[in-house]
Amino acid sequence: MSEIYSRHAGPLTGFAKRCLAHEADADDIVHETMMEVWRRPERFEGRSSLKSWMFAIARFKSYDRNRKSGRTVLSDMEDSRVCEDALPSDALAASQDASRVRAAMNTLSEPHRRALHLSFFEDMTYKEIAEVEGCPVGTIKTRILHAKRKMITVLGQMEA
């Protein structure tokens, strides 16, 4: 369990922060997810990866927390990290790029934003994302395609 926690707690925390109305609840969601994995390992049927099963648990727990609090807002993406060796001009450019990407991500619908995040930031396959989201793989492919197209359009408008 210690190895599972050390491997997955960070990505689960980031995911929970994006799903929750209050980022401060993310650690609680990760703790509840890990307790669910610990208490009920028999629920893992092996039809998906452990990672996607845990993300699905975190997703449902986050929805439940939002429902109870009466809010369903995704928080902004974390600030990007800049390499310590970067020149100040590079750091400024990276910060501006990250701000534009965050702004473009905020124009996406919640399902499109989640699918894109899981694909690019959590490095999940379409199948794993479908398992987390509880929908067919084709739906995930379509969500990511539409999200990419909208991101290209929005980022292009920001450049103009």
Side-chain angles (χ1 to χ4, degrees):
M1 193 65 200
S2 175
E3 184 178 328
I4 290 171
Y5 188 88
S6 64
R7 181 179 299 158
H8 298 288
L12 281 170
T13 301
F15 178 71
K17 283 181 179 180
R18 287 166 187 79
C19 292
L20 290 164
H22 305 285
E23 282 189 19
D25 293 338
D27 288 334
D28 291 341
I29 294 300
V30 171
H31 176 75
E32 291 172 21
T33 299
M34 293 298 181
M35 290 305 295
E36 182 83 15
V37 170
W38 176 257
R39 288 186 194 138
R40 296 195 170 96
E42 72 278 359
R43 288 190 173 178
F44 179 63
E45 298 173 357
R47 293 183 300 191
S48 63
S49 69
L50 176 63
K51 178 180 178 181
S52 59
W53 179 59
M54 290 172 58
F55 270 78
I57 292 170
R59 182 178 136 241
F60 288 119
K61 290 191 176 297
S62 296
Y63 283 168
D64 191 45
R65 179 74 56 103
N66 285 334
R67 184 182 48 77
K68 287 178 183 176
S69 72
R71 298 179 66 194
T72 56
V73 178
L74 286 177
S75 63
D76 289 339
M77 294 178 59
E78 294 177 1
D79 292 335
S80 64
R81 304 291 193 275
V82 178
C83 176
E84 292 177 8
D85 297 335
L87 296 172
S89 59
D90 294 338
L92 177 61
S95 175
Q96 290 170 339
D97 288 345
S99 294
R100 283 193 287 271
V101 170
R102 268 195 303 280
M105 288 284 286
N106 287 334
T107 67
L108 301 175
S109 69
E110 188 174 323
H112 288 111
R113 188 176 8 202
R114 262 194 327 267
L116 204 60
H117 171 79
L118 290 172
S119 176
F120 288 96
F121 296 104
E122 301 302 335
D123 200 29
M124 288 183 149
T125 65
Y126 290 143
K127 182 178 182 223
E128 289 173 326
I129 298 167
E131 292 164 355
V132 169
E133 292 293 311
C135 63
V137 172
T139 300
I140 296 303
K141 288 179 180 179
T142 301
R143 284 180 186 172
I144 291 174
L145 174 69
H146 289 289
K148 285 179 184 177
R149 285 181 178 166
K150 183 155 187 180
M151 290 285 293
I152 289 168
T153 300
V154 171
L155 289 169
Q157 291 170 348
M158 288 179 182
E159 292 292 321

